[in-house]
Amino acid sequence: MGSPLIVELAEIRLAEVETLALSSSPDPPSSYSHFVDDGCGAFRDKDHAETYLTFLNSLTEDLNFTMEHPSTDGSLPFLDVFIHPDKSTSVYRKPTHTNLYTKHSSCTTNSSKNSVIRSLTRRAYNLCSPQHLDSELQTVRHICLLNGFPPQRITSIMEEVRRRFLNPPRRQTPNRQTPNYSLSVSLPYHPSLSKPLEKILGQHDIKVTHSSSTTLRNLLTKTKTTPPPDLTPHTIYEISCLDCTSTYNGQTYNLSSNA
C-alpha cells in the first residue's frame, strides 16, 4: 500500500486479535508464537487446532486466519525454520528458492560480499539443532561456492562465525567513537576508486556512503505508473476515529479522486 506505517499497523492489529483469542479461548494452545502474519501453536490434535481456528476467526470480520497442518511425518515449516517430528529444527528453504545471492564478482563493497557468508553461517548456528548443523553448514558452503566465492574466503569467515558463536566474548568491547563528519555524500561504488576517494574525503571531514548505480533494470522496469504532475496535487486528508473524537491529518502525493 506504500505507507511506511502499514507493517506496524498490521502487527498491532494481528497482535490485538491473537492476544484476545489466547486470553478468552476456553481451550487455547499450550504454546503459541507469531511473527507479523505467521503464527505457530502447539495443539493436542487436529480437532483441537480446527476448533481454535474457528474461535479465532469468530473474533474479527476484517481478518480471515487459515491453517497449515504438519505433514504426514509430523514436520512443519515456520518462517525459515523447519520443525522436525522430534521437535528438532533446521533451516527451511522454499522449493522455489534459487540459492542466488550477491555474487563474488559483483561490483559492491567487500563487506557486503562477506555479509552473505556471515549471515548464512550465523543463521545455521542460530536455527539448527546439533544433529542438523553440519548438514546446513555444508549447504552454506555449497551455496557460497555456487555464487563464486573463493573456498579460502568461505572457510575463513565461517570459522570466524563458529568461534564467536561457540566462544562468545565474556566482556563487551567498548563501542568505538564514531567520528562526527560535517558533511556526508553518497556516491556509486567503484571497485578501484571508492576506497582511495573515501580516504581523501575523510581527511576533509566528509563521510562517504555507497549507493547502487543506475542499471538497465532500474531504467526499464517500473512497477508503478507515474501520473502527470498536474494530476498529482498535494492532497490533505483527515481520517476520523470511529471510537473517539480524535482525527488523523496527512498529506499524499497520490491522485486525488475528488478534484
Side-chain angles (χ1 to χ4, degrees):
M1 296 177 64
S3 171
L5 291 175
I6 194 64
V7 175
E8 287 77 8
L9 293 174
E11 173 76 11
I12 292 171
R13 178 58 178 149
L14 284 166
E16 178 186 30
V17 175
E18 291 176 335
T19 301
L20 176 62
L22 291 170
S23 61
S24 60
S25 171
D27 192 12
S30 57
S31 65
Y32 185 85
S33 60
H34 89 116
F35 181 79
V36 189
D37 60 344
D38 288 304
C40 182
F43 300 90
R44 292 189 303 274
D45 49 37
K46 185 176 181 179
D47 291 338
H48 182 203
E50 293 289 352
T51 301
Y52 182 78
L53 177 64
T54 302
F55 175 77
L56 182 62
N57 282 323
S58 69
L59 299 177
T60 175
E61 295 181 356
D62 57 333
L63 297 173
N64 182 37
F65 291 87
T66 58
M67 181 176 295
E68 179 181 354
H69 292 284
S71 60
T72 54
D73 65 353
S75 60
L76 179 71
F78 176 60
L79 301 175
D80 59 348
V81 181
F82 190 78
I83 305 173
H84 295 265
D86 60 355
K87 303 301 185 293
S88 62
T89 57
S90 61
V91 173
Y92 173 72
R93 296 177 178 84
K94 293 183 177 180
T96 54
H97 186 66
T98 60
N99 287 330
L100 292 180
Y101 295 90
T102 300
K103 290 186 173 292
H104 182 258
S105 59
S106 298
C107 184
T108 187
T109 59
N110 284 331
S111 59
S112 298
K113 297 175 185 178
N114 293 342
S115 66
V116 174
I117 308 173
R118 188 172 288 110
S119 60
L120 292 176
T121 307
R122 283 176 178 169
R123 183 174 69 166
Y125 280 101
N126 286 326
L127 299 185
C128 290
S129 299
Q131 62 266 45
H132 304 294
L133 180 58
D134 288 342
S135 174
E136 176 60 23
L137 291 176
Q138 289 299 321
T139 300
V140 169
R141 179 179 294 276
H142 176 69
I143 290 173
C144 293
L145 289 172
L146 287 178
N147 285 276
F149 287 89
Q152 186 175 359
R153 190 172 189 175
I154 298 172
T155 300
S156 175
I157 295 176
M158 292 183 70
E159 177 61 21
E160 172 197 336
V161 175
R162 186 191 72 83
R163 289 197 305 267
R164 287 181 174 271
F165 187 84
L166 298 179
N167 300 295
R170 295 182 179 180
R171 296 180 181 178
Q172 293 184 351
T173 55
N175 295 330
R176 293 182 179 178
Q177 292 292 333
T178 304
N180 294 321
Y181 294 95
S182 60
L183 184 65
S184 178
V185 295
S186 179
L187 301 174
Y189 176 78
H190 189 279
S192 59
L193 296 179
S194 289
K195 193 169 183 178
L197 187 59
E198 181 179 355
K199 183 178 181 180
I200 295 172
L201 293 178
Q203 296 172 352
H204 296 275
D205 202 22
I206 300 175
K207 179 182 179 181
V208 177
T209 58
H210 299 113
S211 60
S212 301
S213 58
T214 303
T215 63
L216 284 175
R217 180 176 183 180
N218 300 139
L219 295 174
L220 301 178
T221 304
K222 289 187 177 181
T223 57
K224 294 183 179 180
T225 301
T226 304
D230 59 330
L231 295 179
T232 56
H234 299 290
T235 302
I236 305 296
Y237 61 90
E238 181 180 88
I239 300 176
S240 300
C241 179
L242 298 177
D243 300 323
C244 65
T245 59
S246 300
T247 59
Y248 173 80
N249 296 296
Q251 180 178 357
T252 179
Y253 294 93
N254 294 335
L255 178 64
S256 174
S257 58
N258 248 337

